Amino acid sequence: MSFVDDAKHKFEEAMGKIERTVGGAIGDSVLAGNGEAHEEHGEAAEEASDHDQHAKRKRLAEEQGQSAQKPGSPGGQPTPESIDDATSANDAAK
């Protein structure tokens, strides 16, 4: 999420709190209800973007971890199959 999106969500949440407070103070239930809805929407949007950021970071970390390993060998260690394949390739080249 960008800084601008974060600011928008915070602004919507703050405006919702103001509307809710003013609506409650003057007895306007519609304004108070709208304020509560805006406040909750701002909170939900912020949480959703936080979740998206976390998922993106996790996906990138997994991709970087996989690219550091050789295909077919966990942790970059040779497997018995890869050793047999290398031995067979060397024998065939002789």
Side-chain angles (χ1 to χ4, degrees):
M1 173 171 67
S2 71
F3 173 75
V4 174
D5 290 337
D6 190 29
K8 282 181 184 178
H9 300 314
K10 288 287 187 183
F11 180 77
E12 184 173 12
E13 186 178 346
M15 287 302 297
K17 287 180 182 180
I18 292 169
E19 288 177 343
R20 181 174 48 96
T21 302
V22 170
I26 64 173
D28 187 345
S29 61
V30 173
L31 183 61
N34 286 341
E36 188 174 341
H38 285 139
E39 184 179 3
E40 289 177 3
H41 182 264
E43 290 173 357
E46 190 173 354
E47 288 176 10
S49 62
D50 288 345
H51 176 72
D52 291 344
Q53 281 184 340
H54 178 70
K56 184 177 181 180
R57 282 191 209 117
K58 184 177 178 182
R59 184 176 59 250
L60 288 173
E62 289 173 353
E63 288 173 0
Q64 289 174 350
Q66 289 175 354
S67 64
Q69 297 175 358
K70 295 179 182 177
S73 61
Q77 300 296 319
T79 62
E81 294 82 18
S82 67
I83 293 171
D84 290 341
D85 292 341
T87 304
S88 298
N90 286 340
D91 290 343
K94 291 181 181 178

